[in-house]
Amino acid sequence: MARQMTGAKMVVQALKDQGVDTIFGYPGGAVLPIYDEIFQQNDIHHILVRHEQAAVHMAEGYARSTGKPGVVLVTSGPGATNAVTGLTDALMDSIPLVVFTGQVPTFMVGTDGFQEADTVGITRPCTKHNWLVKDTDKLSETIHQAFHVATSGRPGPVLIDMPKDVQFATGTYTPPKAARTDNYQPQVKGDLEAITQLVELIEQAERPVFYTGGGVINSGPAASQLLRELVDATGFPITSTLMGLGAYPASGKSWLGMLGMHGLYEANLAMHGCDLMINLGARFDDRITGRIPDFSPRSTKVHVDIDASSINKIIPVELPILGDIGHVLEDVLKVWKARGRKVNKAGLEKWWKKIDEWRAVNCLAYTNSEKTIKPQYALQRLEELTKGMDRYITTEVGQHQMWAAQFLGFEDPNRWMTSGGLGTMGYGFPASIGVQIAHPDALVINVAGEASWLMNMQEMGTASQFRTPVKQFILNNERLGMVRQWQELLHGERYSQSWSESLPDFVKLAESFGWKGIQVSDPAELDDAIMEMINYDGPVLFDCLVEKHENCFPMIPSGKPHNEMLLAADADAFKEGATLV
Amino acid sequence: MAALKIKKGSSSHSAYDLRDSHSQIESSHTLAVIVDNEAGVLARVIGLFSGRGYNIDSLTVAEVDHKGHKSRITVVTRGTESVIDQIKAQLGRIVPVHEVKDLTVEGSPVERELALIKVSGTGDKRIEALRLAEIFRANVVDSTLESFVFEITGTPEKIDAFADLMRPLGLAEVARTGVAALSRGV
């Protein structure tokens, strides 16, 4: 059933055949033929953004909250270069995206034409793969391959660059089933011998810990289900990276909380003191390991990952298992059950006692105030008042992001969207719009700092236009809080450029876009204000004026091992030490 | 959990751990990378090396299967064992890469390089250059009254040795192809 159509029509047809219902984009000269096709159909909903970077973050939010790939359409030159931050963000956090860019006509490529940029050259290191399609006959097959590559193995962003003449020309459409995808087939089943070795380790371990990451969530809901079954059946403690929150429920009895630089005391000490570390889909990021020679020095380490290059990259492991988390966990459970569901009960009992001692330190403790809203308190109240709702959380980057990870509980995967690897300020607001588009009736909250939030504030128009009732929960300390914290602790309290000068009146700003604006500064009024935000049927800009000089603890200063965490109480002593430098 | 004592001049207050954990012995490895011969594939491989700070000592590339559009990239690189493993894993995840072979691990491979070497001079030096070329089994592929162009094939070390000998005899220009390599046996 060879069908002839223009390249532009192929794009729309291929998207329909791939089951795409929503794309995020911005038109321009080099993609006008495609926009003309979009105009003439109703199956694919186009979300018009205000800046291409935001289009990519929206697609990321859409992808992470649904498990489906996010799709972006932007023009050549500046359209493509504006998308680069989003692409890099998606690459670092393994988010499946298919990004379409227009390009100058093939005969003009290389002539420095108007709005020409070497898009495949620029995006080569920030995509999983990219293509410049020069022949209309190859366009549809390339699009199907792009969806396959973006979603198979370790997911990631891919990009298709399409010169304008390729969009105008007519060619033969290749349906998805006829597209060649056999040349990229990452291994998903783990080696059974290695899995049996892992089961033996599980049976013997005295001080085990599960260290899980975004790979569990990327593997799909089944992987999270299997993880819960394994954790609950073995009774092993579990911690997670920032990216993996929600794979195991925060209310689960084996949950230690997040680990890492601002992770929980009990989680980091369990990692330091364990004798068996089972890494599931995490990548030993430098925010996790601290000083490498002192990282969990007495443990046997197992690493399950779908990406061979993540294994032994930072931390050498005794037992590597290459494969998809869901498949591997299924086999682990099968083998473990068949061998009699054994664990070292006596060892585990002692281990949990130790962990309970660490828990008793109460590392998230902070001094509350009746006069000013502490950011931690604001998040505790937000958690209390929204817990149990159909809730999705996005964040920007900084202190508020770490506090959100510490104080909000996630019961399910795909409910938490944050920029982990790249740490992109300005991610959370557009991501929240993308999430809301995918889940129109859910409560979508972006926990933000005022500085991050301003980086993509132009998307207020997008939220208004598409009636997305996103809640922007801004913890406004009029500071670049995390930068300020490092300057206080490590740079002799010289606060170089780390305050937010000339801030807008957020309530008036909200009103000017047809939003609701709420400002609150009194702790006594906080609950009512949060309820007002939740109950308002429309986008809300929530300006929560918080304590300006609050620091985020616990904290492992870089280059320090896990057992040298800094708690709030130690901060002053640390500062004195650090000013010597 | 006592207060942390940071020494003067220490980098431990940096945003990153500045100490190099890879300060072990480096060795040279010859890798053969089989790729789809599509636009940009060489840039992907080179970009990986420069982007992640790996070394390239030699690089050759040509299509070896015209029907299947497959190219073979031979790259000689240096690094510690863990870095070499990481290079292979990183190469392996590039979408158009089909296979990464570490010829050095498979056994000392057959390695050959071709060089064109121009030597200019007259008199005794010219005669000496020609005599040495014979010893090294280099062919004369161009000759004027004041110059020769020698074609020499061999291991990179042999070519280095020949070029070194030509230097005092009037070495003018060297063009080298880089290493092509195959594993020994079947």
Side-chain angles (χ1 to χ4, degrees):
Chain A
M1 39 168 270
R3 281 197 286 163
Q4 296 291 307
M5 61 181 82
T6 64
K9 203 172 179 71
M10 272 182 198
V11 173
V12 174
Q13 186 60 47
L15 291 178
K16 285 182 195 170
D17 287 351
Q18 288 290 341
V20 174
D21 51 23
T22 307
I23 64 174
F24 303 89
Y26 201 95
V31 282
L32 282 175
I34 299 170
Y35 272 88
D36 202 31
E37 290 298 332
I38 288 171
F39 187 81
Q40 300 174 51
Q41 55 85 48
N42 287 313
D43 296 329
I44 293 164
H45 187 38
H46 180 275
I47 306 297
L48 177 68
V49 299
R50 301 300 186 263
H51 186 289
E52 289 89 348
Q53 182 194 348
V56 186
H57 293 325
M58 282 181 207
E60 287 185 273
Y62 180 93
R64 292 173 74 170
S65 64
T66 61
K68 295 193 288 186
V71 181
V72 173
L73 172 60
V74 295
T75 194
S76 62
T81 55
N82 278 346
V84 164
T85 300
L87 289 168
T88 313
D89 190 272
L91 185 72
M92 291 283 267
D93 286 346
S94 308
I95 316 298
L97 298 182
V98 180
V99 176
F100 294 88
T101 52
Q103 183 55 279
V104 300
T106 44
F107 56 85
M108 275 182 72
V109 168
T111 64
D112 299 327
F114 176 63
Q115 293 196 327
E116 181 185 356
D118 176 10
T119 302
V120 286
I122 289 168
T123 61
R124 198 172 286 129
C126 62
T127 53
K128 185 175 172 187
H129 196 59
N130 63 13
W131 295 263
L132 170 63
V133 181
K134 289 180 171 169
D135 179 356
T136 307
D137 277 329
K138 290 192 179 143
L139 179 57
S140 48
E141 182 171 36
T142 304
I143 296 172
H144 300 314
Q145 286 170 343
F147 275 88
H148 172 72
V149 170
T151 53
S152 317
R154 180 176 177 178
V158 300
L159 180 143
I160 304 170
D161 200 24
M162 302 169 298
K164 197 171 180 180
D165 54 332
V166 173
Q167 300 169 35
F168 275 128
T170 300
T172 307
Y173 181 78
T174 308
K177 278 195 179 137
R180 195 174 159 230
T181 52
D182 58 335
N183 53 346
Y184 183 72
Q185 293 293 345
Q187 181 185 332
V188 291
K189 289 286 274 184
D191 175 44
L192 212 57
E193 205 172 298
I195 286 170
T196 309
Q197 281 177 41
L198 169 56
V199 170
E200 283 167 14
L201 291 168
I202 288 174
E203 288 168 348
Q204 292 155 14
E206 288 179 8
R207 303 184 309 280
V209 67
F210 282 108
Y211 152 44
T212 59
V216 182
I217 291 167
N218 275 334
S219 178
S224 292
Q225 217 44 55
L226 291 162
L227 174 72
R228 288 160 190 227
E229 192 186 337
L230 182 64
V231 171
D232 292 341
T234 55
F236 287 7
I238 174 170
T239 178
S240 165
T241 65
L242 183 69
M243 301 308 296
L245 297 178
Y248 185 83
S251 60
K253 67 175 172 43
S254 300
W255 178 240
L256 302 182
M258 181 179 75
L259 81 161
M261 186 175 265
H262 293 288
L264 270 71
Y265 186 67
E266 49 268 42
N268 284 331
L269 286 203
M271 287 287 280
H272 189 79
C274 66
D275 69 346
L276 173 64
M277 179 187 295
I278 306 169
N279 173 346
L280 302 171
R283 58 183 177 86
F284 294 110
D285 179 272
D286 59 78
R287 304 293 97 164
I288 297 298
T289 58
R291 186 174 137 79
I292 287 174
D294 299 327
F295 176 71
S296 192
R298 289 176 298 279
S299 61
T300 301
K301 296 175 188 72
V302 183
H303 189 177
V304 185
D305 207 297
I306 199 156
D307 177 7
S309 74
S310 282
I311 297 174
N312 289 326
K313 180 173 69 176
I314 313 274
I315 301 291
V317 297
E318 283 74 19
L319 181 60
I321 300 176
L322 185 65
D324 173 71
I325 302 291
H327 285 86
V328 172
L329 282 177
E330 200 180 347
D331 286 343
V332 169
L333 270 164
K334 223 181 275 172
V335 176
W336 182 69
K337 283 176 184 168
R339 289 168 54 111
R341 298 164 166 267
K342 282 179 286 209
V343 291
N344 183 339
K345 281 211 176 91
L348 271 177
E349 209 168 293
K350 268 170 72 184
W351 182 223
W352 273 111
K353 264 193 195 135
K354 190 80 208 155
I355 290 171
D356 285 339
E357 283 173 29
W358 293 328
R359 274 179 167 167
V361 167
N362 192 16
C363 68
L364 296 182
Y366 63 95
T367 315
N368 210 352
S369 158
E370 285 184 0
K371 286 197 189 105
T372 58
I373 299 174
K374 289 291 183 108
Q376 300 97 321
Y377 178 71
L379 285 166
Q380 274 179 326
R381 295 316 303 158
L382 184 72
E383 168 73 359
E384 199 52 41
L385 297 170
T386 62
K387 192 161 64 177
M389 290 184 178
D390 180 18
R391 180 187 81 175
Y392 293 81
I393 302 284
T394 67
T395 77
E396 305 287 344
V397 169
Q399 284 181 322
H400 67 273
Q401 178 189 30
M402 294 296 110
W403 280 316
Q406 291 171 344
F407 288 94
L408 303 181
F410 297 94
E411 296 298 309
D412 294 299
N414 305 99
R415 297 277 174 160
W416 162 249
M417 276 62 54
T418 192
S419 173
L422 194 63
T424 309
M425 291 171 74
Y427 165 89
F429 176 24
S432 70
I433 297 175
V435 173
Q436 189 82 74
I437 298 280
H439 309 276
D441 300 323
L443 174 64
V444 181
I445 304 171
N446 174 34
V447 176
E450 83 290 344
S452 279
W453 192 83
L454 288 173
M455 281 203 179
N456 268 321
M457 61 172 276
Q458 77 284 347
E459 298 308 317
M460 292 184 81
T462 310
S464 301
Q465 182 182 346
F466 296 95
R467 302 185 186 285
T468 53
V470 290
K471 316 301 181 201
Q472 303 302 311
F473 193 76
I474 299 179
L475 298 172
N476 184 353
N477 60 358
E478 300 173 19
R479 301 287 184 279
L480 280 68
M482 192 60 93
V483 172
R484 196 211 65 82
Q485 174 168 345
W486 282 60
Q487 288 173 336
E488 180 188 332
L489 296 176
L490 304 160
H491 290 272
E493 301 179 57
R494 292 178 293 279
Y495 299 119
S496 181
Q497 307 298 320
S498 57
W499 69 95
S500 299
E501 191 61 74
S502 305
L503 284 172
D505 177 330
F506 283 106
V507 173
K508 280 189 186 156
L509 178 64
E511 284 161 2
S512 72
F513 275 94
W515 289 36
K516 183 179 187 61
I518 300 173
Q519 188 181 64
V520 60
S521 58
D522 182 350
E525 292 168 10
L526 182 62
D527 277 21
D528 287 346
I530 290 176
M531 288 315 294
E532 193 185 350
M533 173 185 88
I534 295 168
N535 292 327
Y536 183 72
D537 183 20
V540 178
L541 194 48
F542 191 93
D543 184 17
C544 185
L545 302 176
V546 296
E547 164 63 44
K548 297 184 196 322
H549 301 120
E550 193 70 14
N551 285 331
C552 182
F553 292 111
M555 173 180 180
I556 307 177
S558 280
K560 289 288 170 187
H562 279 170
N563 59 345
E564 291 187 37
M565 292 191 83
L566 201 59
L567 299 183
D570 305 319
D572 284 336
F574 175 77
K575 233 157 60 178
E576 283 158 28
T579 45
L580 290 171
V581 178
Chain B
M1 279 167 12
L4 302 174
K5 303 265 188 303
I6 294 182
K7 283 196 196 101
K8 201 168 182 171
S10 158
S11 65
S12 58
H13 68 291
S14 156
Y16 298 90
D17 187 351
L18 299 180
R19 285 160 290 207
D20 182 7
S21 55
H22 296 294
S23 52
Q24 307 144 18
I25 304 154
E26 295 193 345
S27 61
S28 174
H29 282 244
T30 305
L31 309 179
V33 190
I34 312 300
V35 300
D36 282 328
N37 187 14
E38 60 177 45
V41 67
L42 185 61
R44 276 177 220 287
V45 170
I46 294 173
L48 176 86
F49 277 78
S50 63
R52 293 187 183 265
Y54 306 140
N55 301 300
I56 296 179
D57 287 343
S58 165
L59 180 82
T60 60
V61 53
E63 190 170 87
V64 290
D65 172 4
H66 296 306
K67 228 171 134 193
H69 299 292
K70 299 272 189 300
S71 286
R72 184 181 177 105
I73 299 174
T74 308
V75 52
V76 181
T77 182
R78 256 176 306 116
T80 60
E81 285 310 305
S82 64
V83 168
I84 297 288
D85 284 344
Q86 185 57 207
I87 291 173
K88 287 187 277 187
Q90 292 289 354
L91 285 169
R93 73 177 185 149
I94 296 177
V95 174
V97 167
H98 288 271
E99 199 183 351
V100 182
K101 299 190 224 186
D102 188 336
L103 302 178
T104 306
V105 166
E106 289 175 14
S108 136
V110 181
E111 294 188 356
R112 288 294 179 271
E113 189 176 4
L114 184 142
L116 296 173
I117 293 180
K118 188 179 282 181
V119 179
S120 64
T122 51
D124 287 351
K125 283 187 175 175
R126 184 173 160 84
I127 293 160
E128 183 61 17
L130 202 59
R131 226 169 53 79
L132 284 167
E134 222 166 275
I135 295 167
F136 276 79
R137 283 185 236 156
N139 299 319
V140 177
V141 290
D142 178 65
S143 172
T144 66
L145 292 175
E146 294 96 32
S147 71
F148 288 120
V149 174
F150 296 114
E151 172 203 314
I152 180 168
T153 308
T155 62
E157 293 75 23
K158 176 181 163 183
I159 292 167
D160 284 344
F162 184 67
D164 285 346
L165 285 170
M166 289 301 117
R167 197 153 284 126
L169 304 177
L171 181 77
E173 240 180 313
V174 181
R176 297 172 72 149
T177 59
V179 174
L182 283 180
S183 59
R184 290 177 195 274
V186 188

